[in-house]
Amino acid sequence: MRRIRAGVAVLAAILALPLHAEVKDAAPGGFTVENSAVVQASPERVWAVMIDEVDQWWPKDHSWWGRASRLSIDPRAGGCFCETAGGQQAQHLQVVFVDPARTLRMTGGLGPLQGMGLHGVAEWTLKAEGRNTRVTWRYRAGGYTPDDLSGFSAIVDKVQAQQLDGLVQRVKAGNP
């Protein structure tokens, strides 16, 4: 019975992932991944959740200090997508472009890529499609490393899909 419940949970998690996930390109020096989903909400609503509730939807197992930390996005040029846990602090990305309810672009190395000295451009775009919004989360990373980065693309794509799904589920939870 436990195996059946576990199998159902895994299947539900897979089915809940975004509608479209893709490794756009992968090479020894870098990669581009893109995930997108359509959610029944306005771009303004998705933007508000993305910015104001990031601590509620970003998976804590993809943060430096898990449940002990708080995530925030300061949506202005030079702003920070930051994580704090008491005296411990991390800048995940720096905000470089803001067009509210349309585009949020940030730069930096996410997760272990930061410690590898790699750099990336993370871009969230929101596009109205009738009463829905298409949310696209693209990350392009690269830089010098003695490692072949092409192997990282599938892993980053999977993690990014979880992050996007967290946002989509949080938006859905707030809609009647």
Side-chain angles (χ1 to χ4, degrees):
M1 186 63 148
R2 283 186 203 161
R3 285 185 180 180
I4 292 171
R5 276 191 234 146
V8 169
V10 168
L11 181 59
I14 289 169
L15 293 175
L17 291 177
L19 300 175
H20 178 77
E22 181 180 3
V23 174
K24 298 295 253 181
D25 58 69
F31 58 86
T32 305
V33 295
E34 181 178 290
N35 286 265
S36 68
V38 176
V39 63
Q40 188 175 1
S42 69
E44 293 77 15
R45 171 70 181 139
V46 175
W47 180 268
V49 171
M50 184 172 74
I51 300 299
D52 300 333
E53 300 178 29
V54 65
D55 192 57
Q56 302 301 310
W57 61 262
W58 190 272
K60 290 293 187 165
D61 61 338
H62 292 287
S63 65
W64 292 109
W65 300 288
R67 299 253 172 244
S69 66
R70 182 181 179 292
L71 297 159
S72 63
I73 297 175
D74 181 3
R76 63 179 179 80
C80 182
F81 173 20
C82 288
E83 178 179 354
T84 57
Q88 298 171 307
Q89 303 174 22
Q91 178 177 324
H92 290 279
L93 299 166
Q94 182 175 15
V95 176
V96 296
F97 182 89
V98 178
D99 187 0
R102 289 189 181 97
T103 306
L104 178 66
R105 187 175 305 128
M106 301 178 280
T107 60
L110 282 169
L113 301 181
Q114 183 184 75
M116 295 171 68
L118 302 176
H119 194 69
V121 176
E123 184 172 86
W124 291 89
T125 57
L126 310 177
K127 183 177 180 185
E129 293 184 355
R131 301 178 115 179
N132 300 321
T133 299
R134 176 168 297 281
V135 183
T136 303
W137 172 211
R138 175 182 292 154
Y139 187 58
R140 176 172 287 147
Y144 171 75
T145 178
D147 303 311
D148 180 349
L149 296 178
S150 62
F152 286 86
S153 61
I155 297 165
V156 172
D157 186 55
K158 183 177 178 180
V159 170
Q160 185 173 296
Q162 292 172 341
Q163 293 159 340
L164 176 58
D165 187 57
L167 173 61
V168 167
Q169 296 308 316
R170 184 71 182 173
V171 170
K172 285 181 180 179
N175 285 341

